[in-house]
PDB file of all heavy atoms in Angstrom:
ATOM      1  N   LEU A 234      83.354 146.867 118.993  1.00 80.00           N
ATOM      2  CA  LEU A 234      84.692 147.263 118.570  1.00 80.00           C
ATOM      3  C   LEU A 234      84.653 147.908 117.141  1.00 80.00           C
ATOM      4  O   LEU A 234      85.728 148.500 116.763  1.00 80.00           O
ATOM      5  CB  LEU A 234      85.572 145.975 118.443  1.00 80.00           C
ATOM      6  CG  LEU A 234      86.116 145.402 119.794  1.00 80.00           C
ATOM      7  CD1 LEU A 234      86.744 144.066 119.362  1.00 80.00           C
ATOM      8  CD2 LEU A 234      87.033 146.411 120.469  1.00 80.00           C
ATOM      9  N   ILE A 235      83.545 147.795 116.411  1.00 82.00           N
ATOM     10  CA  ILE A 235      83.612 148.124 115.017  1.00 82.00           C
ATOM     11  C   ILE A 235      82.557 149.084 114.615  1.00 82.00           C
ATOM     12  O   ILE A 235      81.528 149.260 115.280  1.00 82.00           O
ATOM     13  CB  ILE A 235      83.365 146.823 114.163  1.00 82.00           C
ATOM     14  CG1 ILE A 235      82.116 146.083 114.645  1.00 82.00           C
ATOM     15  CG2 ILE A 235      84.625 145.930 114.272  1.00 82.00           C
ATOM     16  CD1 ILE A 235      81.799 144.836 113.884  1.00 82.00           C
ATOM     17  N   SER A 236      82.859 149.854 113.515  1.00 81.00           N
ATOM     18  CA  SER A 236      81.866 150.651 112.979  1.00 81.00           C
ATOM     19  C   SER A 236      81.723 150.314 111.394  1.00 81.00           C
ATOM     20  O   SER A 236      80.759 150.765 110.832  1.00 81.00           O
ATOM     21  CB  SER A 236      82.202 152.128 113.101  1.00 81.00           C
ATOM     22  OG  SER A 236      83.435 152.447 112.601  1.00 81.00           O
ATOM     23  N   SER A 237      82.671 149.625 110.970  1.00 84.00           N
ATOM     24  CA  SER A 237      82.608 149.209 109.434  1.00 84.00           C
ATOM     25  C   SER A 237      81.472 148.426 109.175  1.00 84.00           C
ATOM     26  O   SER A 237      81.177 147.475 109.899  1.00 84.00           O
ATOM     27  CB  SER A 237      83.966 148.623 109.083  1.00 84.00           C
ATOM     28  OG  SER A 237      83.681 147.340 108.406  1.00 84.00           O
ATOM     29  N   GLU A 238      80.724 148.717 108.009  1.00 89.00           N
ATOM     30  CA  GLU A 238      79.579 148.014 107.614  1.00 89.00           C
ATOM     31  C   GLU A 238      79.925 146.562 107.293  1.00 89.00           C
ATOM     32  O   GLU A 238      79.260 145.591 107.609  1.00 89.00           O
ATOM     33  CB  GLU A 238      78.908 148.603 106.467  1.00 89.00           C
ATOM     34  CG  GLU A 238      77.658 147.967 106.037  1.00 89.00           C
ATOM     35  CD  GLU A 238      76.979 148.616 104.897  1.00 89.00           C
ATOM     36  OE1 GLU A 238      77.430 149.693 104.483  1.00 89.00           O
ATOM     37  OE2 GLU A 238      75.914 148.167 104.411  1.00 89.00           O
ATOM     38  N   GLU A 239      81.125 146.313 106.596  1.00 89.00           N
ATOM     39  CA  GLU A 239      81.552 145.014 106.285  1.00 89.00           C
ATOM     40  C   GLU A 239      81.817 144.159 107.598  1.00 89.00           C
ATOM     41  O   GLU A 239      81.324 142.969 107.606  1.00 89.00           O
ATOM     42  CB  GLU A 239      82.900 145.001 105.545  1.00 89.00           C
ATOM     43  CG  GLU A 239      83.415 143.729 105.117  1.00 89.00           C
ATOM     44  CD  GLU A 239      84.762 143.715 104.352  1.00 89.00           C
ATOM     45  OE1 GLU A 239      85.391 144.805 104.365  1.00 89.00           O
ATOM     46  OE2 GLU A 239      85.117 142.635 103.718  1.00 89.00           O
ATOM     47  N   ALA A 240      82.363 144.674 108.544  1.00 89.00           N
ATOM     48  CA  ALA A 240      82.698 143.951 109.780  1.00 89.00           C
ATOM     49  C   ALA A 240      81.355 143.650 110.536  1.00 89.00           C
ATOM     50  O   ALA A 240      81.142 142.556 111.045  1.00 89.00           O
ATOM     51  CB  ALA A 240      83.646 144.694 110.670  1.00 89.00           C
ATOM     52  N   ARG A 241      80.491 144.663 110.563  1.00 91.00           N
ATOM     53  CA  ARG A 241      79.218 144.511 111.275  1.00 91.00           C
ATOM     54  C   ARG A 241      78.399 143.392 110.630  1.00 91.00           C
ATOM     55  O   ARG A 241      77.746 142.492 111.283  1.00 91.00           O
ATOM     56  CB  ARG A 241      78.537 145.776 111.336  1.00 91.00           C
ATOM     57  CG  ARG A 241      77.356 145.866 112.374  1.00 91.00           C
ATOM     58  CD  ARG A 241      76.770 147.238 112.479  1.00 91.00           C
ATOM     59  NE  ARG A 241      77.788 148.151 113.003  1.00 91.00           N
ATOM     60  CZ  ARG A 241      78.027 148.256 114.332  1.00 91.00           C
ATOM     61  NH1 ARG A 241      77.317 147.533 115.148  1.00 91.00           N
ATOM     62  NH2 ARG A 241      78.877 149.084 114.741  1.00 91.00           N
ATOM     63  N   ASN A 242      78.332 143.442 109.264  1.00 92.00           N
ATOM     64  CA  ASN A 242      77.521 142.475 108.574  1.00 92.00           C
ATOM     65  C   ASN A 242      78.089 141.038 108.809  1.00 92.00           C
ATOM     66  O   ASN A 242      77.344 140.085 108.831  1.00 92.00           O
ATOM     67  CB  ASN A 242      77.496 142.848 107.060  1.00 92.00           C
ATOM     68  CG  ASN A 242      76.679 144.048 106.732  1.00 92.00           C
ATOM     69  OD1 ASN A 242      75.846 144.423 107.574  1.00 92.00           O
ATOM     70  ND2 ASN A 242      76.836 144.541 105.556  1.00 92.00           N
ATOM     71  N   SER A 243      79.431 140.979 108.833  1.00 92.00           N
ATOM     72  CA  SER A 243      79.997 139.702 109.111  1.00 92.00           C
ATOM     73  C   SER A 243      79.677 139.053 110.372  1.00 92.00           C
ATOM     74  O   SER A 243      79.377 137.893 110.537  1.00 92.00           O
ATOM     75  CB  SER A 243      81.581 139.787 109.018  1.00 92.00           C
ATOM     76  OG  SER A 243      81.948 140.336 107.760  1.00 92.00           O
ATOM     77  N   VAL A 244      79.727 139.913 111.476  1.00 92.00           N
ATOM     78  CA  VAL A 244      79.301 139.398 112.768  1.00 92.00           C
ATOM     79  C   VAL A 244      77.838 138.975 112.793  1.00 92.00           C
ATOM     80  O   VAL A 244      77.538 137.958 113.390  1.00 92.00           O
ATOM     81  CB  VAL A 244      79.560 140.558 113.876  1.00 92.00           C
ATOM     82  CG1 VAL A 244      79.037 140.101 115.184  1.00 92.00           C
ATOM     83  CG2 VAL A 244      81.135 140.777 113.938  1.00 92.00           C
ATOM     84  N   GLN A 245      76.963 139.851 112.185  1.00 93.00           N
ATOM     85  CA  GLN A 245      75.598 139.411 112.213  1.00 93.00           C
ATOM     86  C   GLN A 245      75.344 138.143 111.345  1.00 93.00           C
ATOM     87  O   GLN A 245      74.475 137.338 111.825  1.00 93.00           O
ATOM     88  CB  GLN A 245      74.759 140.602 111.484  1.00 93.00           C
ATOM     89  CG  GLN A 245      74.762 141.829 112.431  1.00 93.00           C
ATOM     90  CD  GLN A 245      74.177 143.061 111.744  1.00 93.00           C
ATOM     91  OE1 GLN A 245      73.856 143.027 110.513  1.00 93.00           O
ATOM     92  NE2 GLN A 245      73.998 144.175 112.479  1.00 93.00           N
ATOM     93  N   HIS A 246      76.108 137.838 110.338  1.00 95.00           N
ATOM     94  CA  HIS A 246      76.011 136.659 109.597  1.00 95.00           C
ATOM     95  C   HIS A 246      76.388 135.495 110.516  1.00 95.00           C
ATOM     96  O   HIS A 246      75.693 134.454 110.514  1.00 95.00           O
ATOM     97  CB  HIS A 246      76.862 136.720 108.312  1.00 95.00           C
ATOM     98  CG  HIS A 246      76.729 135.497 107.496  1.00 95.00           C
ATOM     99  ND1 HIS A 246      75.809 135.397 106.456  1.00 95.00           N
ATOM    100  CD2 HIS A 246      77.369 134.323 107.480  1.00 95.00           C
ATOM    101  CE1 HIS A 246      75.879 134.301 105.873  1.00 95.00           C
ATOM    102  NE2 HIS A 246      76.897 133.562 106.478  1.00 95.00           N
ATOM    103  N   LEU A 247      77.498 135.619 111.192  1.00 94.00           N
ATOM    104  CA  LEU A 247      77.918 134.511 112.113  1.00 94.00           C
ATOM    105  C   LEU A 247      76.926 134.211 113.123  1.00 94.00           C
ATOM    106  O   LEU A 247      76.629 133.014 113.529  1.00 94.00           O
ATOM    107  CB  LEU A 247      79.207 134.842 112.715  1.00 94.00           C
ATOM    108  CG  LEU A 247      80.465 134.669 111.849  1.00 94.00           C
ATOM    109  CD1 LEU A 247      81.756 135.044 112.619  1.00 94.00           C
ATOM    110  CD2 LEU A 247      80.672 133.300 111.349  1.00 94.00           C
ATOM    111  N   CYS A 248      76.285 135.283 113.731  1.00 93.00           N
ATOM    112  CA  CYS A 248      75.252 135.021 114.749  1.00 93.00           C
ATOM    113  C   CYS A 248      74.057 134.327 114.115  1.00 93.00           C
ATOM    114  O   CYS A 248      73.460 133.540 114.823  1.00 93.00           O
ATOM    115  CB  CYS A 248      74.826 136.390 115.386  1.00 93.00           C
ATOM    116  SG  CYS A 248      76.138 137.198 116.385  1.00 93.00           S
ATOM    117  N   ALA A 249      73.677 134.681 112.894  1.00 95.00           N
ATOM    118  CA  ALA A 249      72.610 133.918 112.314  1.00 95.00           C
ATOM    119  C   ALA A 249      72.918 132.524 112.006  1.00 95.00           C
ATOM    120  O   ALA A 249      72.029 131.623 112.149  1.00 95.00           O
ATOM    121  CB  ALA A 249      72.265 134.666 110.968  1.00 95.00           C
ATOM    122  N   VAL A 250      74.175 132.250 111.620  1.00 96.00           N
ATOM    123  CA  VAL A 250      74.666 130.882 111.427  1.00 96.00           C
ATOM    124  C   VAL A 250      74.474 130.058 112.771  1.00 96.00           C
ATOM    125  O   VAL A 250      74.036 128.967 112.806  1.00 96.00           O
ATOM    126  CB  VAL A 250      76.083 130.827 110.919  1.00 96.00           C
ATOM    127  CG1 VAL A 250      76.613 129.356 110.927  1.00 96.00           C
ATOM    128  CG2 VAL A 250      76.089 131.391 109.463  1.00 96.00           C
ATOM    129  N   TRP A 251      75.008 130.788 113.854  1.00 96.00           N
ATOM    130  CA  TRP A 251      74.988 130.124 115.170  1.00 96.00           C
ATOM    131  C   TRP A 251      73.502 129.781 115.449  1.00 96.00           C
ATOM    132  O   TRP A 251      73.315 128.687 116.083  1.00 96.00           O
ATOM    133  CB  TRP A 251      75.464 131.009 116.184  1.00 96.00           C
ATOM    134  CG  TRP A 251      75.632 130.527 117.583  1.00 96.00           C
ATOM    135  CD1 TRP A 251      74.628 130.434 118.501  1.00 96.00           C
ATOM    136  CD2 TRP A 251      76.702 129.841 118.188  1.00 96.00           C
ATOM    137  NE1 TRP A 251      75.015 129.769 119.669  1.00 96.00           N
ATOM    138  CE2 TRP A 251      76.332 129.490 119.442  1.00 96.00           C
ATOM    139  CE3 TRP A 251      78.026 129.656 117.788  1.00 96.00           C
ATOM    140  CZ2 TRP A 251      77.147 128.797 120.356  1.00 96.00           C
ATOM    141  CZ3 TRP A 251      78.902 128.971 118.634  1.00 96.00           C
ATOM    142  CH2 TRP A 251      78.468 128.534 119.909  1.00 96.00           C
ATOM    143  N   GLU A 252      72.536 130.617 115.260  1.00 95.00           N
ATOM    144  CA  GLU A 252      71.111 130.248 115.587  1.00 95.00           C
ATOM    145  C   GLU A 252      70.710 129.053 114.859  1.00 95.00           C
ATOM    146  O   GLU A 252      69.964 128.154 115.531  1.00 95.00           O
ATOM    147  CB  GLU A 252      70.258 131.484 115.240  1.00 95.00           C
ATOM    148  CG  GLU A 252      70.421 132.618 116.142  1.00 95.00           C
ATOM    149  CD  GLU A 252      69.486 133.846 115.750  1.00 95.00           C
ATOM    150  OE1 GLU A 252      68.605 133.617 114.842  1.00 95.00           O
ATOM    151  OE2 GLU A 252      69.598 134.932 116.344  1.00 95.00           O
ATOM    152  N   VAL A 253      71.036 128.850 113.625  1.00 97.00           N
ATOM    153  CA  VAL A 253      70.758 127.647 112.888  1.00 97.00           C
ATOM    154  C   VAL A 253      71.466 126.402 113.465  1.00 97.00           C
ATOM    155  O   VAL A 253      70.793 125.367 113.601  1.00 97.00           O
ATOM    156  CB  VAL A 253      71.058 127.756 111.320  1.00 97.00           C
ATOM    157  CG1 VAL A 253      70.593 126.510 110.588  1.00 97.00           C
ATOM    158  CG2 VAL A 253      70.421 129.048 110.787  1.00 97.00           C
ATOM    159  N   LEU A 254      72.632 126.565 113.897  1.00 97.00           N
ATOM    160  CA  LEU A 254      73.435 125.450 114.499  1.00 97.00           C
ATOM    161  C   LEU A 254      72.735 125.075 115.779  1.00 97.00           C
ATOM    162  O   LEU A 254      72.738 123.865 116.100  1.00 97.00           O
ATOM    163  CB  LEU A 254      74.861 125.895 114.665  1.00 97.00           C
ATOM    164  CG  LEU A 254      75.673 126.037 113.440  1.00 97.00           C
ATOM    165  CD1 LEU A 254      77.132 126.495 113.732  1.00 97.00           C
ATOM    166  CD2 LEU A 254      75.767 124.728 112.659  1.00 97.00           C
ATOM    167  N   GLU A 255      72.217 125.997 116.589  1.00 96.00           N
ATOM    168  CA  GLU A 255      71.429 125.726 117.730  1.00 96.00           C
ATOM    169  C   GLU A 255      70.192 124.909 117.457  1.00 96.00           C
ATOM    170  O   GLU A 255      69.920 123.889 118.081  1.00 96.00           O
ATOM    171  CB  GLU A 255      71.068 127.045 118.487  1.00 96.00           C
ATOM    172  CG  GLU A 255      72.223 127.625 119.230  1.00 96.00           C
ATOM    173  CD  GLU A 255      71.694 128.925 119.946  1.00 96.00           C
ATOM    174  OE1 GLU A 255      70.853 129.614 119.411  1.00 96.00           O
ATOM    175  OE2 GLU A 255      72.265 129.117 121.123  1.00 96.00           O
TER     176      GLU A 255
END
Side-chain angles (χ1 to χ4, degrees):
L234 286 173
I235 54 179
S236 57
S237 131
E238 184 177 358
E239 180 182 14
R241 193 173 297 277
N242 288 342
S243 300
V244 172
Q245 290 171 356
H246 183 89
L247 283 181
C248 290
V250 171
W251 183 277
E252 288 180 6
V253 183
L254 293 173
E255 285 183 320

